[in-house]
Amino acid sequence: MQAISVQQPWAFAIARSGKAIANQGLPSAYRGPLLIHASMRVDLKACDHPLIQSAGWDPSDP
């Protein structure tokens, strides 16, 4: 099984709303189950992004 580590709120958007785009440096031929690891760091600039807003992210909710 593969895993990807991303900052919040992007991990939330992937899990909640099925974010389909992931910009990676290397292509991957893997197709299968994927673990999503949310890092402790939060990308505060991304909190206003429409994709994050549509997923229902609430930065005040721990």
Side-chain angles (χ1 to χ4, degrees), residues 29-51:
Y30 179 77
R31 299 294 180 259
L34 179 70
L35 297 173
I36 302 168
H37 172 262
S39 66
M40 294 281 292
R41 184 175 293 162
V42 176
D43 182 2
L44 296 175
K45 291 185 264 181
C47 291
D48 294 330
H49 193 281
L51 180 68

Side-chain angles (χ1 to χ4, degrees), residues 14-30:
I14 292 168
R16 181 69 184 246
S17 65
K19 179 182 179 293
I21 299 169
N23 299 323
Q24 297 178 334
L26 299 172
S28 174
Y30 179 77

